[in-house]
Amino acid sequence: MTDHTSGDVLRRSHVRRWVLYAVVAAVVAAVVSFIRLDDPGDHHEQYFFGTLQTSPRTARADEARGMRVAHMTVSWDRFEPVPGQVDQHYVATLKRKLRMFRDAGLHVEAGVGLNNPPPWLSDRYPEDAFTDQGGARFTSGPNLVFSQEIRNEVEGYLRRLDQEIGLANFWAIRIGVNSTGEFTYPPPAPSTRGAMSYWAFDRHAQASGADPGRPATVPPNPYPGWRPGQSTYRGAPFTPGQVNRWYGWYLSALADAVNWQTGQYEALGYHGLLLVLIPGGGFHPSDLSAAVRAHLGETAAGGLISRGAGFFRTIGLIQHRRTVQLVSTALVDGSGTPRNNACRPSDGSVVPDAVAPGAEARVRAWSSVRWISRIAAREGFPISGESAGPHVAAYYPGVMTDAARQLKSCGLTGLMWAFDHNLYDGTPGSSLGDYASVITKLQKGAAP
């Protein structure tokens, strides 16, 4: 009897010990997983590298040549073709692709498809679409700026995406507002005369006071009914100060849409990177001054101004969160004189929102990434980059070396190359071997 009891005690002791080991192992695995989530390379790698539109078929080859990040796109219209109903076949496809990337040893940067809304969204909220000063409507992307109802639908979609896929499986999530998923208003409407569409003329954007349909964090329009180009308002001259106030409201509303998104991911318990995409270089301070004098009418930079691409103003409106970073999507986009020029230590003396008149000519000769990197540094944001892609500026022999020079000189944390298929299809200067060579040099600290 005593021997039997001792055996039971011994067995229970072994069980408790194995339970303890299992708990410890689970905690260690979770910690390791968290560390790997935050760090896409090993501790000897200075930068991360990956491709856009990564193919699962080439994932292992990519990883073997030094890449650590894959890009994966989720399409909202395919995920939720009917309001509140998830397409499980599409979910299975996403899970399979995600598993293939992770099995290849790659971290996954996701575009969650807010720029690909399902058709039912605009059908359900026809009055909430982006609307410009001429009455043109934009439905290719959701109006995250002025419509609370649209934000509510996006919130539900993100919650369902988290339940079905698990946002924690993504190393990073891309953040934007327009139809390409970047940090500007939509492009000008085809029907608009000239090249300007100010997307602040839907019913909520034009409400003068409290409006439950407008996000509470977006103040009311200071001058409802005023249209860019008009020099009077309600029978009185419209002053430059009033133009500045209206445009400041327009920019802050755009930034609020980004801040709302980052807040949503934080509320869902997401701890990965939140990457705000910055396209091109935007306009410069003197462009805005000229536009204000013209009451935001036709000017040389009018198209960029109507899109809110004043990054020297808008980046400073982004809320600092632990995981928020910027991405310049314009490496080797052909900008600057000389073309695709790199950053210099002396750039730090430039104050982006107060460039001296004598210095602006020099700043205008900077490449897009050089200008955005200076703004990011001024505002205290880390920044990575991605190449603009051959559809923006044709690739050429040496293009990856130029991108690597921009990355290193501008203090970027990593590079996503557009596009994965261009490493394999014979595009000049964009082979897998070219990328592997650049990656090896940069990770060793050598000059590209």
Side-chain angles (χ1 to χ4, degrees):
M1 183 69 174
T2 304
D3 290 343
H4 179 70
T5 303
S6 297
D8 287 344
V9 172
L10 185 60
R11 280 191 295 274
R12 286 196 296 271
S13 177
H14 282 307
V15 169
R16 285 195 298 269
R17 188 176 302 148
W18 281 111
V19 169
L20 178 61
Y21 289 162
V23 171
V24 171
V27 171
V28 170
V31 171
V32 170
S33 175
F34 182 77
I35 291 173
R36 287 180 57 77
L37 181 68
D38 282 347
D39 183 3
D42 63 38
H43 294 295
H44 301 289
E45 295 181 335
Q46 297 187 55
Y47 309 98
F48 72 82
F49 294 93
T51 59
L52 297 180
Q53 298 181 6
T54 314
S55 169
R57 294 189 300 274
T58 62
R60 292 188 182 276
D62 289 354
E63 196 280 337
R65 304 307 289 269
M67 286 166 259
R68 299 292 178 259
V69 181
H71 168 251
M72 174 175 156
T73 298
V74 179
S75 295
W76 183 8
D77 56 346
R78 296 184 63 189
F79 181 89
E80 191 180 8
V82 177
Q85 295 185 22
V86 174
D87 185 334
Q88 292 298 331
H89 292 291
Y90 183 59
V91 169
T93 299
L94 293 173
K95 288 181 176 179
R96 183 167 56 251
K97 183 179 289 189
L98 182 61
R99 184 171 60 252
M100 292 176 72
F101 287 141
R102 297 187 68 148
D103 287 348
L106 297 174
H107 295 262
V108 179
E109 171 192 296
V112 299
L114 299 188
N115 56 319
N116 292 309
W120 57 259
L121 188 69
S122 58
D123 292 340
R124 178 176 278 192
Y125 306 105
E127 299 301 316
D128 287 35
F130 278 119
T131 306
D132 75 359
Q133 70 275 17
R137 297 168 69 252
F138 183 87
T139 59
S140 297
N143 186 354
L144 294 175
V145 180
F146 296 112
S147 173
Q148 183 59 50
E149 293 286 1
I150 298 294
R151 290 190 182 188
N152 292 343
E153 295 288 358
V154 170
E155 182 180 354
Y157 162 60
L158 294 179
R159 186 170 58 251
R160 287 185 282 277
L161 183 63
D162 188 31
Q163 292 167 349
E164 297 288 343
I165 304 295
L167 295 178
N169 287 306
F170 301 133
W171 168 71
I173 294 175
R174 297 158 72 87
I175 303 288
V177 179
N178 65 21
S179 54
T180 59
E182 296 170 306
F183 185 29
T184 69
Y185 281 101
S191 61
T192 301
R193 294 180 180 178
M196 299 190 307
S197 280
Y198 286 88
W199 297 105
F201 290 88
D202 62 84
R203 58 175 178 166
H204 302 306
Q206 285 297 302
S208 58
D211 178 3
R214 186 183 62 242
T217 47
V218 176
N221 189 327
Y223 305 106
W226 179 79
R227 281 170 164 68
Q230 293 179 342
S231 59
T232 62
Y233 180 65
R234 295 180 178 176
F238 200 63
T239 68
Q242 290 173 307
V243 176
N244 266 317
R245 185 182 174 195
W246 187 93
Y247 193 66
W249 166 80
Y250 185 67
L251 295 184
S252 64
L254 175 66
D256 186 80
V258 163
N259 294 331
W260 176 80
Q261 289 178 69
T262 59
Q264 287 300 303
Y265 291 114
E266 191 173 85
L268 288 168
Y270 179 71
H271 299 294
L273 296 179
L274 297 169
L275 306 176
V276 181
L277 307 185
I278 312 296
F283 60 84
H284 292 83
S286 66
D287 296 321
L288 180 56
S289 298
V292 168
R293 290 193 298 270
H295 295 88
L296 303 183
E298 294 283 351
T299 59
L304 290 172
I305 290 168
S306 69
R307 298 192 68 180
F311 303 119
F312 63 93
R313 291 274 301 273
T314 58
I315 286 175
L317 299 174
I318 299 172
Q319 291 175 357
H320 283 265
R321 300 179 188 270
R322 182 180 62 86
T323 57
V324 171
Q325 297 193 13
L326 307 183
V327 181
S328 169
T329 64
L331 271 69
V332 290
D333 65 350
S335 61
T337 306
R339 187 182 187 212
N340 297 327
N341 56 65
C343 296
R344 296 182 179 180
S346 59
D347 295 352
S349 64
V350 171
V351 181
D353 58 351
V355 181
E360 187 164 312
R362 295 194 302 273
V363 170
R364 285 179 178 275
W366 291 5
S367 62
S368 297
V369 65
R370 185 176 177 184
W371 174 236
I372 299 303
S373 295
R374 175 63 197 123
I375 298 170
R378 167 80 173 180
E379 300 297 341
F381 284 103
I383 182 171
S384 62
E386 56 189 55
S387 60
H391 61 296
V392 174
Y395 287 159
Y396 51 89
V399 65
M400 284 188 171
T401 299
D402 287 344
R405 191 176 298 114
Q406 290 182 323
L407 179 150
K408 187 170 185 177
S409 65
C410 295
L412 307 186
T413 60
L415 171 64
M416 298 292 285
W417 190 257
F419 298 93
D420 190 72
H421 65 84
N422 292 129
L423 302 182
Y424 300 91
D425 64 5
T427 299
S430 183
S431 71
L432 181 62
D434 291 329
Y435 203 18
S437 176
V438 161
I439 291 172
T440 298
K441 289 178 181 178
L442 286 173
Q443 299 293 31
K444 290 182 177 179

